[in-house]
């Protein structure tokens, strides 16, 4: 029978926990990617449908609401990953001889700023697309003589709410950007 070496420092449990938490963080990063792709796909589909006929422009008003929901979900994954990193750094790192240094490495790698990293694609994909939808549908609402005054007022109210949700999505993206500096 082969003798197993005893874990003198008791780090098997914390290492297993770290491995599980790292896997969860990676899954959440994958979910963030999926949300990003979903935003691009939905926006592209709605824009294509709306621009295929002039009277479909009001469908663009759905984009700000969808954008906000997806941006908020994206941010919730970001917060969870941040909390995992904090837990690893503050709790698990001290339980493993020599430490993990994972969160310190991650934090240092995020601090490196390049010109490319200053152009945040999240700003284009979330509030940027939403703002484009508001401008396009807003110009339709203002210029359309085919709609009744009641329809135009109703669409205008939806447009205002859409602008609020676009501003909230922009706030989320800005918060994401500043948390990495």
């Amino acid at each position: 029978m082969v003798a197993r070496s005893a874990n003198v420092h008791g780090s098997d449990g914390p290492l297993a926990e770290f491995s599980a938490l790292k896997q969860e963080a990676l899954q959440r990063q994958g979910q963030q990617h999926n949300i990003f792709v979903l935003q691009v796909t939905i926006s592209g589909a709605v824009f294509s449908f709306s621009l295929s006929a002039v009277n479909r422009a009001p469908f663009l008003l759905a984009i700000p609401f969808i954008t906000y929901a997806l941006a908020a979900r994206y941010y919730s994954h970001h917060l969870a990953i941040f909390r995992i990193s904090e837990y690893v750094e503050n709790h698990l790192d001290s339980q493993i001889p020599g430490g993990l240094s994972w969160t310190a490495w991650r934090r240092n790698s995020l601090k490196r700023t390049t010109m490319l990293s200053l152009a945040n694609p999240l700003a284009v994909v979330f509030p940027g697309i939403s703002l484009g939808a508001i401008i396009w549908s807003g110009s339709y609402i203002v210029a359309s003589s085919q709609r009744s005054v009641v329809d135009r007022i109703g669409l205008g109210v939806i447009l205002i709410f859409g602008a609020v949700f676009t501003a909230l999505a922009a706030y989320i993206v800005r918060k994401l950007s500043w948390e990495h500096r």
Side-chain angles (χ1 to χ4, degrees):
M1 181 183 260
V2 177
R4 291 183 61 185
S5 62
N7 183 2
V8 180
H9 301 289
S11 61
D12 281 349
L15 281 173
E17 188 175 7
F18 169 72
S19 179
L21 289 170
K22 185 177 174 187
Q23 186 61 36
E24 181 182 346
L26 291 172
Q27 286 174 344
R28 287 183 177 276
Q29 285 177 332
Q31 289 296 319
Q32 285 181 309
H33 173 75
N34 291 343
I35 290 167
F36 184 89
V37 170
L38 184 61
Q39 169 69 6
V40 171
T41 304
I42 289 173
S43 298
V46 172
F47 262 101
S48 294
F49 175 76
S50 297
L51 300 179
S52 66
V54 176
N55 62 345
R56 293 182 181 167
F59 283 101
L60 291 171
L61 293 174
I63 289 178
F65 301 100
I66 295 166
T67 294
Y68 170 72
L70 292 175
R73 190 68 186 139
Y74 188 97
Y75 185 67
S76 72
H77 285 298
H78 171 79
L79 284 178
I81 293 167
F82 177 76
R83 287 184 185 121
I84 288 169
S85 294
E86 274 190 331
Y87 178 78
V88 167
E89 183 175 22
N90 297 330
H91 184 69
L92 291 181
D93 199 43
S94 63
Q95 294 181 19
I96 298 170
L100 294 166
S101 302
W102 177 63
T103 53
W105 172 83
R106 227 175 149 250
R107 189 175 33 255
N108 288 334
S109 69
L110 291 173
K111 285 182 182 177
R112 291 186 213 119
T113 302
T114 63
M115 289 304 289
L116 186 59
S117 68
L118 293 174
N120 187 352
L122 295 177
V124 174
V125 171
F126 288 109
I129 289 174
S130 187
L131 183 61
I134 286 174
I135 291 170
W136 192 277
S137 58
S139 64
Y140 168 79
I141 292 167
V142 170
S144 176
S145 59
Q146 300 169 348
R147 297 239 178 232
S148 70
V149 173
V150 174
D151 284 349
R152 291 165 99 182
I153 290 171
L155 290 172
V157 168
I158 294 170
L159 184 120
I160 290 168
F161 279 111
V164 169
F165 278 87
T166 299
L168 289 171
Y171 173 75
I172 288 170
V173 169
R174 182 170 171 85
K175 197 166 168 70
L176 280 165
S177 298
W178 283 103
E179 285 179 3
H180 287 296
R181 292 183 181 205

